[in-house]
Amino acid sequence: MNIIISNSSDIPIYQQLKNQIKEAILSGEIRDGELLPSIRNLANETRVSVLTTRRAYDELEAEGFIKTVHGKGSFAASGNLELLKEARLKQVEEKLIEAYNIGRAIGVSKEDMRTMMDILFEENGR
């Protein structure tokens, strides 16, 4: 797992950790049941505090992305992966509605919106 922390980002460090671990689980880079680095190891690897790492892990556990077993560590818990993906799909839909409404308010055509999406996909290799 390769986590990159940006100190110049407006996104809090714990949120950057959480987002990247969540994405790794959703993409399958981290498989169901796979042992994650300990809080201390991840803190050392990313050069952030143990408290920051703990907060990221706590939030991931609260959202169902990881499960912590006392004395054994934290494991990816993608057993409810379909629910997690469905939640992400809902976020995509909400963002698309927001983009549609903004575009519509300034007169962006349907074709221009499609062209913008095509460009985004091309730029990101998908």
Side-chain angles (χ1 to χ4, degrees):
M1 179 170 51
N2 187 25
I3 294 181
I4 300 168
I5 301 298
S6 171
N7 291 324
S8 61
S9 174
D10 290 338
I11 300 170
I13 292 172
Y14 81 90
Q15 188 73 40
Q16 291 180 52
L17 285 170
K18 178 180 148 185
N19 290 348
Q20 290 180 54
I21 294 169
K22 189 186 296 188
E23 286 303 319
I25 292 170
L26 287 171
S27 72
E29 179 185 340
I30 298 174
R31 293 177 302 282
D32 186 31
E34 186 174 331
L35 179 64
L36 299 173
S38 71
I39 290 172
R40 184 169 306 284
N41 284 344
L42 185 58
N44 288 335
E45 287 176 21
T46 56
R47 295 187 176 114
V48 301
S49 80
V50 172
L51 293 175
T52 299
T53 308
R54 158 76 66 199
R55 181 170 180 188
Y57 272 36
D58 286 347
E59 289 195 12
L60 285 164
E61 186 161 24
E63 292 177 17
F65 284 92
I66 67 173
K67 180 164 178 53
T68 301
V69 178
H70 185 70
K72 296 202 181 220
S74 297
F75 300 85
S78 59
N80 56 353
L81 192 56
E82 287 307 312
L83 285 175
L84 300 173
K85 283 186 178 181
E86 188 63 33
R88 294 302 295 254
L89 186 57
K90 181 148 178 55
Q91 286 179 322
V92 170
E93 289 172 1
E94 290 168 357
K95 297 294 183 183
L96 286 172
I97 290 169
E98 182 181 348
Y100 167 78
N101 288 332
I102 292 169
R104 186 171 162 209
I106 61 169
V108 176
S109 72
K110 182 178 184 179
E111 188 57 39
D112 285 345
M113 292 290 275
R114 284 188 174 142
T115 300
M116 285 186 254
M117 287 300 297
D118 288 342
I119 290 169
L120 285 172
F121 276 92
E122 287 172 15
E123 287 176 348
N124 293 290
R126 296 189 186 221

